[in-house]
Amino acid sequence: MQNRDAFFIGNEWLKPASSKTFQLVGASTGEVVATVPEAVETDVDRAVAAAREAFDHSGWATMAPAERAIVMRRFMAALATRGPDLAQAVSLQNGMPIALSGMLEGQFPVGILDYYAGLADTMGSDDVRPSQMGKQTIVERPAIGVVAAIVPWNFPVTLALSKIAPAMAAGCTLVIKPSPGTILDSYIVAEAALEAGVPAGVLNWVAADRAVGAYLVSHPGVDKVAFTGSTAAGRKVAAVCGELLRPVTLELGGKSAAILLEDADLDSFLQGMPMASLLNNGQACYNGTRVLAPASRYGEVVDGMAAMMSSLTVGDALDPATHIGPMASSAHRDRVESYIATGKREARLVTGGGRPRDSNHGWFVEPTLFADVDNAATIAQEEIFGPVLSVISYQDDADAIRIANDSQFGLGGSIWSPDPERALGVARQVRSGTVGINGYMPSLGSPFGGVKASGIGSEFGPEAVGSYQQYKSTYVMG
């Protein structure tokens, strides 16, 4: 058991204001692995007050960006030494295969801090512009203030640092609310921040349920909200922020299309499919879960995908040989299985569709493939968030583009072809915030975000820093 009994607020481990707790359950075993405190509104008030004090009075917001970069690099170094512990904690809680969490939760967050520390090093001074009505205008980009960062359970460390790092570079302070399903990792990140000497109040963590999370979103001491989660929850966050005229960044759901053009190398697609369509047991918002195959090669594509998916090792997330781990929770497995039941009525089940026979514990679902899927079907339109793929037939490139765009979402997607010009031509017509060619993986140096019901704003790239800043123009008249 890895029990915890405090919140990280103002660089102190503060006792909670109530006796409420969360029990964390290991996704591979179904057994309780830790008990941690659950925040109530008083705890949120203390965290926001610490962040407010740090922003208003510590000098962090007005510090030279290069000085903040020094702090961020110390934080990066402290986090790097904890990479294996972070990977272990994440896989234990949400079932991410340890071979994947070692890279994406243990190492990638270190790279995020390094990237934004580099940007902070190069952030320039005020922009002085000529004025038509006076002498000149001084344009500043001060930090926006206190940020409420709401982090989901599927990539808890990476998605926390994707908010923390650009916000720190800009000079903001944060209150971070992790998902109730993945909390242990946040303590490890907080310990790294404390060791690195991140100033008190710059980073604060409180784990809470949805109701208290909503209280944080609407808190009068918060200046901006950065949210990653479901589209349904994102709409509620957006409604609150709209009423308050509070800036918000929303990274939401997806139902991305992986388009195999007629000349695609099927072996190349099958090799890339685990990362492009089944990443993290299918629990990644940008997974290409609608596979669009040309009618002339439909049977070949379905057979190849079925063979590949059937060969994947399903097992304990902490086993390095595991390809597909469990769903993150019992409730989430129920949700995925309800979609599989719907799929059996709507399409042809090719492989999977149940629970592994040799697993009598944990929240496991077999990798599942449906064929003969109509794009209007529920399993083609709604985000399942599990290892469930649908293969949809198309006639020509224009038809593939039409089907890909026939979705409420627009977050990810991929185009597969040995002809780069043809693939790029198709990619330009897909309505999505990001698209990969012959593979898919977000790049730190480029904006990542969605269109339509997939969100508002972007993370990653220099653009993310801008979302934590505001413009201020000073008119010098004489």
Side-chain angles (χ1 to χ4, degrees), residues 279-290:
L279 187 70
N280 193 19
N281 315 328
Q283 298 170 140
C285 50
Y286 53 70
N287 275 334
T289 53
R290 291 184 297 150

Side-chain angles (χ1 to χ4, degrees), residues 128-207:
V128 180
R129 304 180 184 180
S131 173
Q132 288 73 37
M133 301 298 291
K135 185 177 180 182
Q136 61 186 20
T137 299
I138 301 171
V139 181
E140 304 170 71
R141 299 197 71 176
I144 207 165
V146 174
V147 177
I150 315 295
V151 181
W153 49 258
N154 58 331
F155 293 94
V157 186
T158 285
L159 293 175
L161 268 295
S162 69
K163 298 163 180 56
I164 291 169
M168 289 181 72
C172 293
T173 61
L174 300 97
V175 176
I176 304 112
K177 191 202 82 67
S179 164
T182 46
I183 303 173
L184 294 177
D185 46 282
S186 66
Y187 284 92
I188 299 172
V189 179
E191 288 163 355
L194 189 60
E195 178 186 305
V198 175
V202 171
L203 301 176
N204 310 272
W205 274 267
V206 285

Side-chain angles (χ1 to χ4, degrees), residues 24-63:
L24 297 175
V25 177
S28 293
T29 65
E31 298 176 352
V32 176
V33 297
T35 299
V36 299
E38 177 183 348
V40 295
E41 292 182 358
T42 300
D43 299 306
V44 170
D45 289 339
R46 291 191 295 173
V48 173
R52 186 84 263 161
E53 174 69 19
F55 184 80
D56 291 341
H57 302 297
S58 74
W60 173 257
T62 56
M63 185 183 297

Side-chain angles (χ1 to χ4, degrees), residues 87 151 190 333-334 425 465 467:
V151 181
R333 180 179 63 176
D334 290 347
V465 178
S467 70

Side-chain angles (χ1 to χ4, degrees), residues 302-303 306 310 348-352 368-372:
V302 170
D303 290 347
S310 299
R348 173 168 60 94
L349 178 66
V350 180
T351 189
T368 299
L369 180 66
F370 287 104
D372 304 335

Side-chain angles (χ1 to χ4, degrees), residues 257-260 265 268-277 286 288 412-417 423 427 434-442:
I259 303 175
L260 279 68
D265 181 335
S268 176
F269 170 69
L270 295 177
Q271 290 173 17
M273 197 170 77
M275 293 295 283
S277 296
Y286 53 70
S414 55
I415 317 296
W416 301 79
S417 171
T434 65
V435 182
I437 293 179
N438 295 323
Y440 185 95
M441 182 54 65

